[in-house]
Amino acid sequence: MNLTGQHFLGFERSGENPEYFTAINPATNEAFGVKYHVAGQNEINRALVKAEEIFTGYSEVTAKQKASFLNLIADLILEAGDQLIEICMAETGLANGRITGERARTINQIRLFAGLVLEGSWVEATIDTAIPERQPAPRPDIRSMLIPIGPVVVFGASNFPLAFSVAGGDTISALAGGNPVIVKAHPAHPGTSEIIANCISEAAKRSGMPDGTFSMLYDSGYNTGRLLVVHPQIRAVAFTGSFAGGKALYDLAQTRPDPIPVFAEMSSVNPIFVLPEALKTSAGSIAKAIAGSVTLGAGQFCTNPGLVFFIGDENTVKLPEFLGEEIRKSIPQTMLTPGIAGNYHKDVSHALADKNINLLMESAEASGQNQAKPVIALVSGAAFEQNKNLSSEVFGPFSLVVSCDSKDQMLRIARSLHGQLTASIFHDADKDLDDFTLLPGILKTKVGRLIFNGIPTGVEVCHAMIHGGPFPATTDSRFTSVGTSSIKRFVRPVALQDCAHSLLPPELRDDNPMGIMRLINGKRSNQS
Ligand code: NAP
């Protein structure tokens, strides 16, 4: 397709504001491609009026039609072929294999949601039939289910240009839930965003979805995002990115006359605890796995492990040496944007300037533009306990290894950590777990996902996945942003009391035409 740099206001394309920005290739720092228009207030309004007008119509589209729409989005993304891969590589500095893999993940994610919608039980239909003869008062007929919340704003993330961006989990779960979506495209991959938005728009047209089901707006600054979050028509916000960005948008939404939920996934250092018996038997393989996770994708993952805890010191325990050896062998990689690379260099320099932190190892010097060299540093448990800032996220291939002086100190530190997406425990057989019985329980209160003998990167997209966690990992620990349960962010329960049968949605009718699993008078059943 020919890129135009225009917004998608439903099915209309527009670029009436003369202000624009261009894509930057982070490997060369060169601007390339078309001019991407910055959205104007008028264009924002047009997209949102459409979304509001068709909300009821889209929310009543049948499960079968919605599943076909989602599957067609997946088909068209595949059909976009090499153009998508090439533009995405040029805009992000990511390698072909990574983008191709991420495209497969994105497509599988879309098809998983299509399957969820088609199966239908996700609406949690619950029926308590009337008991007119009940004493002292009759029970009315009450039927409840989850319904769409309304137009959703999705902020595309920079670090997953496909899987967490225009057709990423946020957009697809919101569409699957029956909500119109307005994407604020991330300016780090505008061409990628246009190709994907075109796939969604085309799929919407071909599968008969109403005009306004999907819109996408460009901006290279904060204005459009802020206007969207406070817009009266918006009912929820999904965001993945920095703590500063997510918290600012969350706070902004609370200033509305009608505050709305903001599901922001922000900051996590994904601590890893390596227990003593595992250190004795497997320090080399554990170090290899951790270093691989730290350096994967230039460390630009929300599940990048930023803290590694062990008991002992570098003289008695081999883990720091093995980790150092792995980092020495690693290579610098191009980061996603000049801004992200600049932040990484600043944050690493700041960490290493602390007199309590010792550089353990770094890779060879970076030679290209915006590259990050992997770095690993060491700090004592005592110094770590005294400086709360040491648990802040450094976005990139950096990890701080913390040598604890005792089991008590390790447990104390675990208790003091703030909310995280993940934590990992490396343990050997049962002895470690017998000695550290409290650790899993402590960590469960801190994270959305607790991993045993594994690294945090590589988030499976499935029904059971929880990619969330207590603040500041996210703004709402009750939800996940990956996996089919992420649909729950964009729906709300409604109960219908003594509703005429002809008015009931199929999910709540006595004959159960969709054959879905329901809770009827306290018993689960897929019967009528
Ligand atoms: P970001 O700064 O959080 O920006 C993400 C999106 O939100 C962009 O579209 C941005 O708009 C918008 N935004 C940010 N702050 C805003 C505000 N106050 N008001 C309105 N909109 C706002 O993330 P980024 O640009 O991708 O990367 C910057 C830093 O974020 C990185 O260095 C890294 O530290 C962190 N990050 C963390 C994760 C993670 O998973 N933990 C992922 C990505 C990035 P514009 O870009 O148009 O200005």
Side-chain angles (χ1 to χ4, degrees), residues 21 155-160 184-188 218-227 229 239-249 252 265-268 300-303 335-337 339-344 347 393-396 421 467 473:
F21 67 98
F155 284 79
S158 60
N159 59 337
F160 277 94
K184 149 70 174 68
H186 198 292
Y218 287 113
D219 194 354
S220 58
Y222 295 167
N223 192 41
T224 300
R226 294 178 68 83
L227 289 172
V229 169
F239 169 95
T240 301
S242 64
F243 175 78
K247 184 66 167 47
L249 295 173
L252 185 64
E265 190 223 299
M266 304 175 293
S267 170
S268 182
Q300 300 166 115
F301 292 115
C302 37
T303 49
M335 298 196 90
L336 292 159
T337 68
I340 289 178
N343 284 346
Y344 177 68
D347 291 348
E393 182 183 30
V394 173
F395 194 68
L421 293 172
H467 189 66

Short mmCIF file of all heavy atoms in Angstrom, two decimals, residues 21 155-160 184-188 218-227 229 239-249 252 265-268 300-303 335-337 339-344 347 393-396 421 467 473, ligand 1:
data_model
loop_
_atom_site.label_atom_id
_atom_site.label_comp_id
_atom_site.label_asym_id
_atom_site.label_seq_id
_atom_site.Cartn_x
_atom_site.Cartn_y
_atom_site.Cartn_z
N PHE A 21 5.14 15.21 11.51
CA PHE A 21 6.43 14.67 11.94
C PHE A 21 6.80 13.54 10.97
O PHE A 21 5.97 13.14 10.14
CB PHE A 21 6.38 14.17 13.40
CG PHE A 21 5.50 12.97 13.61
CD1 PHE A 21 6.03 11.69 13.67
CD2 PHE A 21 4.12 13.11 13.75
CE1 PHE A 21 5.22 10.58 13.85
CE2 PHE A 21 3.30 12.00 13.93
CZ PHE A 21 3.85 10.73 13.99
N PHE A 155 -3.17 3.55 23.69
CA PHE A 155 -1.88 4.17 23.36
C PHE A 155 -0.96 3.06 22.86
O PHE A 155 -0.63 2.14 23.62
CB PHE A 155 -1.25 4.83 24.60
CG PHE A 155 -1.89 6.14 24.95
CD1 PHE A 155 -3.11 6.18 25.61
CD2 PHE A 155 -1.30 7.34 24.61
CE1 PHE A 155 -3.72 7.38 25.92
CE2 PHE A 155 -1.89 8.55 24.91
CZ PHE A 155 -3.12 8.58 25.56
N GLY A 156 -0.56 3.14 21.59
CA GLY A 156 0.39 2.15 21.07
C GLY A 156 1.70 2.23 21.84
O GLY A 156 2.15 3.31 22.19
N ALA A 157 2.30 1.06 22.13
CA ALA A 157 3.57 1.04 22.86
C ALA A 157 4.73 1.03 21.86
O ALA A 157 4.60 0.49 20.76
CB ALA A 157 3.65 -0.20 23.73
N SER A 158 5.86 1.61 22.25
CA SER A 158 7.01 1.65 21.34
C SER A 158 7.72 0.31 21.27
O SER A 158 8.27 -0.05 20.23
CB SER A 158 8.01 2.71 21.80
OG SER A 158 8.48 2.41 23.11
N ASN A 159 7.71 -0.46 22.37
CA ASN A 159 8.63 -1.60 22.44
C ASN A 159 8.08 -2.88 21.83
O ASN A 159 8.82 -3.84 21.67
CB ASN A 159 9.10 -1.84 23.88
CG ASN A 159 7.98 -2.10 24.83
OD1 ASN A 159 6.84 -1.72 24.59
ND2 ASN A 159 8.28 -2.75 25.94
N PHE A 160 6.80 -2.91 21.51
CA PHE A 160 6.22 -4.02 20.75
C PHE A 160 5.42 -3.39 19.61
O PHE A 160 4.22 -3.16 19.76
CB PHE A 160 5.30 -4.88 21.62
CG PHE A 160 5.99 -5.90 22.44
CD1 PHE A 160 6.37 -5.62 23.75
CD2 PHE A 160 6.26 -7.16 21.93
CE1 PHE A 160 7.01 -6.57 24.53
CE2 PHE A 160 6.90 -8.12 22.71
CZ PHE A 160 7.27 -7.83 24.00
N LYS A 184 -4.14 5.99 19.67
CA LYS A 184 -3.14 7.08 19.54
C LYS A 184 -1.86 6.34 19.12
O LYS A 184 -1.26 5.61 19.92
CB LYS A 184 -3.00 7.80 20.88
CG LYS A 184 -1.64 8.40 21.19
CD LYS A 184 -1.29 9.60 20.35
CE LYS A 184 0.02 10.22 20.82
NZ LYS A 184 1.21 9.39 20.59
N ALA A 185 -1.48 6.52 17.83
CA ALA A 185 -0.32 5.77 17.30
C ALA A 185 0.95 6.23 18.00
O ALA A 185 1.10 7.42 18.31
CB ALA A 185 -0.21 6.00 15.81
N HIS A 186 1.87 5.29 18.25
CA HIS A 186 3.17 5.70 18.82
C HIS A 186 4.02 6.30 17.71
O HIS A 186 4.18 5.68 16.65
CB HIS A 186 3.88 4.53 19.47
CG HIS A 186 4.95 4.99 20.41
ND1 HIS A 186 6.09 5.63 19.98
CD2 HIS A 186 5.02 4.98 21.76
CE1 HIS A 186 6.83 5.97 21.03
NE2 HIS A 186 6.20 5.59 22.13
N PRO A 187 4.57 7.50 17.93
CA PRO A 187 5.32 8.17 16.84
C PRO A 187 6.62 7.45 16.46
O PRO A 187 7.23 7.79 15.45
CB PRO A 187 5.61 9.56 17.42
CG PRO A 187 5.49 9.42 18.89
CD PRO A 187 4.50 8.33 19.14
N ALA A 188 7.03 6.44 17.23
CA ALA A 188 8.26 5.72 16.90
C ALA A 188 8.08 4.74 15.74
O ALA A 188 9.06 4.29 15.16
CB ALA A 188 8.78 4.97 18.13
N TYR A 218 -2.55 10.32 14.73
CA TYR A 218 -1.11 10.51 14.93
C TYR A 218 -0.85 11.76 15.76
O TYR A 218 -1.57 12.76 15.67
CB TYR A 218 -0.42 10.75 13.58
CG TYR A 218 -0.30 9.53 12.71
CD1 TYR A 218 -1.00 9.45 11.52
CD2 TYR A 218 0.55 8.49 13.06
CE1 TYR A 218 -0.86 8.35 10.69
CE2 TYR A 218 0.68 7.39 12.23
CZ TYR A 218 -0.03 7.32 11.05
OH TYR A 218 0.11 6.23 10.24
N ASP A 219 0.22 11.70 16.51
CA ASP A 219 0.79 12.90 17.15
C ASP A 219 2.21 12.54 17.56
O ASP A 219 2.51 11.37 17.83
CB ASP A 219 -0.03 13.28 18.39
CG ASP A 219 0.30 14.69 18.88
OD1 ASP A 219 1.23 15.32 18.33
OD2 ASP A 219 -0.37 15.16 19.83
N SER A 220 3.09 13.54 17.58
CA SER A 220 4.45 13.27 18.06
C SER A 220 4.65 13.93 19.42
O SER A 220 5.77 14.05 19.90
CB SER A 220 5.47 13.81 17.06
OG SER A 220 5.25 15.20 16.91
N GLY A 221 3.57 14.38 20.01
CA GLY A 221 3.66 15.01 21.33
C GLY A 221 2.49 14.56 22.18
O GLY A 221 1.79 13.62 21.83
N TYR A 222 2.27 15.24 23.29
CA TYR A 222 1.28 14.75 24.26
C TYR A 222 -0.15 15.24 24.01
O TYR A 222 -1.08 14.75 24.63
CB TYR A 222 1.68 15.21 25.67
CG TYR A 222 2.97 14.61 26.17
CD1 TYR A 222 3.58 15.13 27.30
CD2 TYR A 222 3.56 13.53 25.54
CE1 TYR A 222 4.76 14.60 27.79
CE2 TYR A 222 4.74 12.99 26.00
CZ TYR A 222 5.35 13.52 27.13
OH TYR A 222 6.50 12.99 27.61
N ASN A 223 -0.30 16.24 23.12
CA ASN A 223 -1.59 16.93 23.05
C ASN A 223 -2.75 15.99 22.70
O ASN A 223 -3.77 15.96 23.41
CB ASN A 223 -1.48 18.08 22.03
CG ASN A 223 -2.65 19.00 22.12
OD1 ASN A 223 -3.10 19.31 23.22
ND2 ASN A 223 -3.19 19.41 20.99
N THR A 224 -2.60 15.22 21.63
CA THR A 224 -3.70 14.36 21.18
C THR A 224 -4.07 13.35 22.27
O THR A 224 -5.24 13.14 22.58
CB THR A 224 -3.31 13.62 19.88
OG1 THR A 224 -3.04 14.62 18.91
CG2 THR A 224 -4.39 12.70 19.39
N GLY A 225 -3.05 12.74 22.87
CA GLY A 225 -3.30 11.76 23.92
C GLY A 225 -4.08 12.38 25.07
O GLY A 225 -5.04 11.79 25.59
N ARG A 226 -3.70 13.56 25.46
CA ARG A 226 -4.36 14.22 26.59
C ARG A 226 -5.81 14.59 26.23
O ARG A 226 -6.72 14.39 27.03
CB ARG A 226 -3.58 15.46 27.03
CG ARG A 226 -2.19 15.11 27.60
CD ARG A 226 -1.41 16.35 27.98
NE ARG A 226 -2.01 17.03 29.11
CZ ARG A 226 -1.81 16.71 30.39
NH1 ARG A 226 -1.01 15.71 30.69
NH2 ARG A 226 -2.40 17.37 31.35
N LEU A 227 -6.00 15.10 25.00
CA LEU A 227 -7.36 15.46 24.58
C LEU A 227 -8.25 14.22 24.53
O LEU A 227 -9.43 14.27 24.87
CB LEU A 227 -7.33 16.14 23.20
CG LEU A 227 -6.73 17.56 23.20
CD1 LEU A 227 -6.57 18.07 21.77
CD2 LEU A 227 -7.61 18.53 23.99
N VAL A 229 -7.93 11.46 26.39
CA VAL A 229 -8.21 10.95 27.74
C VAL A 229 -9.30 11.77 28.43
O VAL A 229 -10.09 11.23 29.20
CB VAL A 229 -6.91 10.91 28.57
CG1 VAL A 229 -7.18 10.65 30.04
CG2 VAL A 229 -5.98 9.83 28.02
N PHE A 239 -2.83 1.71 28.18
CA PHE A 239 -1.52 2.32 27.94
C PHE A 239 -0.42 1.33 28.33
O PHE A 239 -0.53 0.65 29.36
CB PHE A 239 -1.41 3.59 28.81
CG PHE A 239 -0.02 4.19 28.87
CD1 PHE A 239 0.34 5.22 28.00
CD2 PHE A 239 0.92 3.74 29.80
CE1 PHE A 239 1.62 5.77 28.05
CE2 PHE A 239 2.19 4.29 29.85
CZ PHE A 239 2.54 5.31 28.98
N THR A 240 0.66 1.28 27.54
CA THR A 240 1.89 0.57 27.94
C THR A 240 3.05 1.50 27.66
O THR A 240 3.17 2.01 26.55
CB THR A 240 2.10 -0.72 27.14
OG1 THR A 240 0.97 -1.57 27.35
CG2 THR A 240 3.35 -1.46 27.58
N GLY A 241 3.90 1.74 28.65
CA GLY A 241 5.04 2.63 28.43
C GLY A 241 5.67 3.01 29.75
O GLY A 241 5.73 2.20 30.68
N SER A 242 6.10 4.27 29.82
CA SER A 242 6.87 4.71 30.99
C SER A 242 5.96 4.96 32.19
O SER A 242 4.75 5.20 32.05
CB SER A 242 7.60 6.01 30.66
OG SER A 242 6.66 7.02 30.40
N PHE A 243 6.56 4.93 33.38
CA PHE A 243 5.81 5.27 34.60
C PHE A 243 5.30 6.70 34.49
O PHE A 243 4.14 6.98 34.80
CB PHE A 243 6.70 5.12 35.84
CG PHE A 243 6.00 5.56 37.09
CD1 PHE A 243 5.06 4.74 37.69
CD2 PHE A 243 6.25 6.81 37.64
CE1 PHE A 243 4.38 5.16 38.83
CE2 PHE A 243 5.58 7.23 38.77
CZ PHE A 243 4.64 6.41 39.38
N ALA A 244 6.17 7.62 34.03
CA ALA A 244 5.78 9.03 33.97
C ALA A 244 4.56 9.21 33.07
O ALA A 244 3.60 9.90 33.43
CB ALA A 244 6.95 9.87 33.46
N GLY A 245 4.59 8.55 31.88
CA GLY A 245 3.48 8.69 30.94
C GLY A 245 2.20 8.07 31.48
O GLY A 245 1.14 8.70 31.47
N GLY A 246 2.30 6.84 31.96
CA GLY A 246 1.12 6.14 32.46
C GLY A 246 0.48 6.85 33.64
O GLY A 246 -0.74 7.02 33.71
N LYS A 247 1.32 7.31 34.57
CA LYS A 247 0.78 7.96 35.77
C LYS A 247 0.15 9.31 35.40
O LYS A 247 -0.90 9.69 35.94
CB LYS A 247 1.91 8.14 36.79
CG LYS A 247 1.49 8.72 38.13
CD LYS A 247 0.57 7.76 38.89
CE LYS A 247 0.35 8.13 40.34
NZ LYS A 247 0.03 9.50 40.62
N ALA A 248 0.78 10.03 34.45
CA ALA A 248 0.23 11.34 34.03
C ALA A 248 -1.16 11.14 33.42
O ALA A 248 -2.09 11.90 33.71
CB ALA A 248 1.17 12.01 33.04
N LEU A 249 -1.30 10.12 32.60
CA LEU A 249 -2.59 9.89 31.94
C LEU A 249 -3.63 9.39 32.96
O LEU A 249 -4.81 9.76 32.90
CB LEU A 249 -2.44 8.90 30.78
CG LEU A 249 -1.55 9.43 29.65
CD1 LEU A 249 -1.27 8.35 28.61
CD2 LEU A 249 -2.17 10.65 28.97
N LEU A 252 -4.71 12.40 34.91
CA LEU A 252 -5.54 13.26 34.07
C LEU A 252 -6.98 12.72 34.02
O LEU A 252 -7.95 13.49 34.12
CB LEU A 252 -4.94 13.31 32.66
CG LEU A 252 -5.59 14.24 31.66
CD1 LEU A 252 -5.44 15.70 32.12
CD2 LEU A 252 -4.93 14.08 30.27
N GLU A 265 0.11 -0.07 32.02
CA GLU A 265 1.16 -1.01 32.41
C GLU A 265 2.46 -0.22 32.28
O GLU A 265 2.79 0.27 31.20
CB GLU A 265 1.13 -2.20 31.44
CG GLU A 265 2.00 -3.34 31.88
CD GLU A 265 2.77 -3.89 30.71
OE1 GLU A 265 2.16 -4.36 29.75
OE2 GLU A 265 4.01 -3.80 30.78
N MET A 266 3.19 -0.06 33.41
CA MET A 266 4.23 0.97 33.43
C MET A 266 5.63 0.47 33.76
O MET A 266 6.47 0.37 32.89
CB MET A 266 3.82 2.06 34.42
CG MET A 266 2.44 2.65 34.13
SD MET A 266 1.88 3.83 35.35
CE MET A 266 1.64 2.81 36.78
N SER A 267 5.86 0.16 34.99
CA SER A 267 7.25 0.03 35.42
C SER A 267 7.44 -1.22 36.27
O SER A 267 6.71 -1.43 37.23
CB SER A 267 7.58 1.28 36.25
OG SER A 267 8.80 1.14 36.87
N SER A 268 8.43 -2.05 35.89
CA SER A 268 8.65 -3.29 36.62
C SER A 268 10.10 -3.70 36.47
O SER A 268 10.67 -3.56 35.38
CB SER A 268 7.73 -4.37 36.04
OG SER A 268 7.87 -5.57 36.74
N GLN A 300 14.60 -4.24 25.99
CA GLN A 300 13.45 -3.32 25.91
C GLN A 300 12.13 -4.05 26.12
O GLN A 300 11.21 -3.95 25.31
CB GLN A 300 13.47 -2.58 24.58
CG GLN A 300 14.74 -1.77 24.39
CD GLN A 300 14.94 -1.31 22.97
OE1 GLN A 300 14.91 -0.12 22.70
NE2 GLN A 300 15.11 -2.23 22.05
N PHE A 301 12.07 -4.82 27.17
CA PHE A 301 10.84 -5.55 27.50
C PHE A 301 10.39 -5.14 28.89
O PHE A 301 11.21 -4.93 29.79
CB PHE A 301 11.08 -7.06 27.49
CG PHE A 301 11.36 -7.62 26.12
CD1 PHE A 301 12.58 -8.17 25.81
CD2 PHE A 301 10.38 -7.58 25.14
CE1 PHE A 301 12.83 -8.69 24.54
CE2 PHE A 301 10.63 -8.09 23.87
CZ PHE A 301 11.86 -8.64 23.57
N CYS A 302 9.06 -5.10 29.06
CA CYS A 302 8.54 -4.76 30.39
C CYS A 302 8.88 -5.87 31.38
O CYS A 302 8.86 -5.65 32.59
CB CYS A 302 7.05 -4.50 30.34
SG CYS A 302 6.19 -5.59 29.22
N THR A 303 9.21 -7.08 30.89
CA THR A 303 9.55 -8.17 31.79
C THR A 303 11.06 -8.39 31.89
O THR A 303 11.51 -9.42 32.37
CB THR A 303 8.88 -9.48 31.32
OG1 THR A 303 9.14 -9.65 29.93
CG2 THR A 303 7.39 -9.46 31.56
N MET A 335 18.72 0.57 19.91
CA MET A 335 17.48 0.72 20.68
C MET A 335 16.39 1.32 19.79
O MET A 335 16.64 1.74 18.67
CB MET A 335 17.73 1.56 21.93
CG MET A 335 18.72 0.91 22.87
SD MET A 335 18.71 1.59 24.54
CE MET A 335 17.49 0.57 25.36
N LEU A 336 15.16 1.36 20.32
CA LEU A 336 14.00 1.70 19.49
C LEU A 336 13.98 3.15 19.03
O LEU A 336 13.53 3.44 17.93
CB LEU A 336 12.72 1.42 20.29
CG LEU A 336 12.44 -0.05 20.58
CD1 LEU A 336 11.50 -0.19 21.76
CD2 LEU A 336 11.87 -0.72 19.34
N THR A 337 14.42 4.05 19.88
CA THR A 337 14.38 5.48 19.52
C THR A 337 15.60 6.18 20.12
O THR A 337 16.16 5.71 21.12
CB THR A 337 13.12 6.19 20.09
OG1 THR A 337 13.23 6.23 21.52
CG2 THR A 337 11.83 5.50 19.69
N GLY A 339 15.48 8.73 21.87
CA GLY A 339 15.07 9.10 23.24
C GLY A 339 15.28 7.95 24.21
O GLY A 339 15.80 8.14 25.32
N ILE A 340 14.88 6.75 23.81
CA ILE A 340 15.02 5.58 24.69
C ILE A 340 16.51 5.28 24.90
O ILE A 340 16.94 4.98 26.03
CB ILE A 340 14.24 4.37 24.10
CG1 ILE A 340 12.74 4.64 24.26
CG2 ILE A 340 14.64 3.06 24.78
CD1 ILE A 340 11.83 3.56 23.70
N ALA A 341 17.32 5.40 23.82
CA ALA A 341 18.77 5.16 23.97
C ALA A 341 19.38 6.21 24.91
O ALA A 341 20.20 5.88 25.78
CB ALA A 341 19.44 5.21 22.59
N GLY A 342 18.95 7.46 24.76
CA GLY A 342 19.47 8.52 25.62
C GLY A 342 19.13 8.27 27.08
O GLY A 342 19.98 8.42 27.98
N ASN A 343 17.89 7.84 27.33
CA ASN A 343 17.47 7.53 28.71
C ASN A 343 18.31 6.40 29.29
O ASN A 343 18.69 6.42 30.46
CB ASN A 343 16.00 7.08 28.75
CG ASN A 343 15.04 8.24 28.62
OD1 ASN A 343 15.45 9.40 28.74
ND2 ASN A 343 13.79 7.94 28.35
N TYR A 344 18.58 5.39 28.45
CA TYR A 344 19.35 4.23 28.93
C TYR A 344 20.75 4.67 29.37
O TYR A 344 21.20 4.33 30.47
CB TYR A 344 19.43 3.16 27.84
CG TYR A 344 20.28 1.97 28.24
CD1 TYR A 344 19.86 1.11 29.25
CD2 TYR A 344 21.51 1.71 27.63
CE1 TYR A 344 20.63 0.02 29.65
CE2 TYR A 344 22.28 0.63 28.01
CZ TYR A 344 21.84 -0.21 29.02
OH TYR A 344 22.62 -1.28 29.42
N ASP A 347 20.52 6.65 32.59
CA ASP A 347 20.17 5.85 33.78
C ASP A 347 21.32 4.94 34.21
O ASP A 347 21.57 4.75 35.41
CB ASP A 347 18.92 5.00 33.50
CG ASP A 347 17.67 5.87 33.38
OD1 ASP A 347 17.74 7.07 33.73
OD2 ASP A 347 16.63 5.34 32.92
N GLU A 393 13.30 1.16 37.56
CA GLU A 393 13.53 0.52 36.27
C GLU A 393 14.58 1.28 35.45
O GLU A 393 14.53 2.50 35.35
CB GLU A 393 12.21 0.48 35.49
CG GLU A 393 12.33 -0.21 34.14
CD GLU A 393 11.03 -0.17 33.33
OE1 GLU A 393 10.24 0.77 33.48
OE2 GLU A 393 10.82 -1.11 32.54
N VAL A 394 15.54 0.53 34.90
CA VAL A 394 16.43 1.07 33.86
C VAL A 394 16.01 0.34 32.59
O VAL A 394 16.19 -0.87 32.48
CB VAL A 394 17.91 0.80 34.18
CG1 VAL A 394 18.80 1.21 33.01
CG2 VAL A 394 18.33 1.52 35.46
N PHE A 395 15.41 1.06 31.65
CA PHE A 395 14.84 0.41 30.46
C PHE A 395 15.96 0.12 29.47
O PHE A 395 16.49 1.03 28.82
CB PHE A 395 13.79 1.34 29.86
CG PHE A 395 12.91 0.66 28.83
CD1 PHE A 395 12.00 -0.32 29.20
CD2 PHE A 395 12.98 1.02 27.49
CE1 PHE A 395 11.19 -0.93 28.27
CE2 PHE A 395 12.16 0.41 26.55
CZ PHE A 395 11.27 -0.56 26.94
N GLY A 396 16.34 -1.15 29.36
CA GLY A 396 17.45 -1.54 28.49
C GLY A 396 18.19 -2.70 29.12
O GLY A 396 17.79 -3.24 30.16
N LEU A 421 5.48 -6.83 37.65
CA LEU A 421 4.76 -7.74 36.74
C LEU A 421 5.09 -9.19 37.09
O LEU A 421 4.23 -10.05 37.09
CB LEU A 421 5.17 -7.47 35.29
CG LEU A 421 4.74 -6.12 34.71
CD1 LEU A 421 5.38 -5.91 33.35
CD2 LEU A 421 3.23 -6.03 34.60
N HIS A 467 -0.57 -10.71 33.02
CA HIS A 467 0.48 -9.72 32.77
C HIS A 467 -0.04 -8.44 33.41
O HIS A 467 -0.68 -7.60 32.76
CB HIS A 467 0.70 -9.56 31.27
CG HIS A 467 1.90 -8.74 30.92
ND1 HIS A 467 3.18 -9.14 31.19
CD2 HIS A 467 2.02 -7.53 30.31
CE1 HIS A 467 4.03 -8.21 30.76
NE2 HIS A 467 3.34 -7.22 30.24
N ALA A 473 3.61 -1.43 38.86
CA ALA A 473 3.64 -2.24 37.63
C ALA A 473 2.44 -1.87 36.76
O ALA A 473 2.57 -1.74 35.54
CB ALA A 473 3.62 -3.72 37.98
P1 NAP B 1 6.27 6.85 26.92
O1 NAP B 1 7.09 8.08 27.06
O2 NAP B 1 5.61 6.36 28.13
O3 NAP B 1 5.19 7.15 25.79
C1 NAP B 1 4.18 6.20 25.44
C2 NAP B 1 3.04 6.92 24.74
O4 NAP B 1 2.36 7.75 25.68
C3 NAP B 1 3.48 7.83 23.62
O5 NAP B 1 2.48 7.81 22.61
C4 NAP B 1 3.54 9.18 24.28
O6 NAP B 1 3.28 10.23 23.39
C5 NAP B 1 2.41 9.10 25.28
N1 NAP B 1 2.67 9.91 26.47
C6 NAP B 1 3.71 9.79 27.33
N2 NAP B 1 3.60 10.67 28.34
C7 NAP B 1 2.46 11.35 28.12
C8 NAP B 1 1.80 12.40 28.80
N3 NAP B 1 2.28 12.91 29.94
N4 NAP B 1 0.66 12.88 28.27
C9 NAP B 1 0.16 12.37 27.12
N5 NAP B 1 0.73 11.38 26.43
C10 NAP B 1 1.86 10.87 26.91
O7 NAP B 1 7.11 5.65 26.34
P2 NAP B 1 8.15 5.59 25.14
O8 NAP B 1 8.10 6.83 24.32
O9 NAP B 1 7.82 4.36 24.41
O10 NAP B 1 9.56 5.41 25.83
C11 NAP B 1 10.05 6.29 26.79
C12 NAP B 1 10.45 5.54 28.05
O11 NAP B 1 9.36 4.75 28.51
C13 NAP B 1 11.57 4.52 27.86
O12 NAP B 1 12.84 5.09 27.93
C14 NAP B 1 11.29 3.54 28.96
O13 NAP B 1 11.89 3.95 30.15
C15 NAP B 1 9.81 3.57 29.15
N6 NAP B 1 9.10 2.41 28.59
C16 NAP B 1 8.78 1.39 29.42
C17 NAP B 1 8.11 0.29 28.93
C18 NAP B 1 7.74 -0.83 29.83
O14 NAP B 1 7.20 -1.80 29.34
N7 NAP B 1 7.98 -0.76 31.13
C19 NAP B 1 7.76 0.20 27.58
C20 NAP B 1 8.09 1.27 26.73
C21 NAP B 1 8.75 2.37 27.27
P3 NAP B 1 4.39 10.81 22.39
O15 NAP B 1 5.41 9.75 22.18
O16 NAP B 1 3.61 11.16 21.18
O17 NAP B 1 5.01 11.96 23.03
#
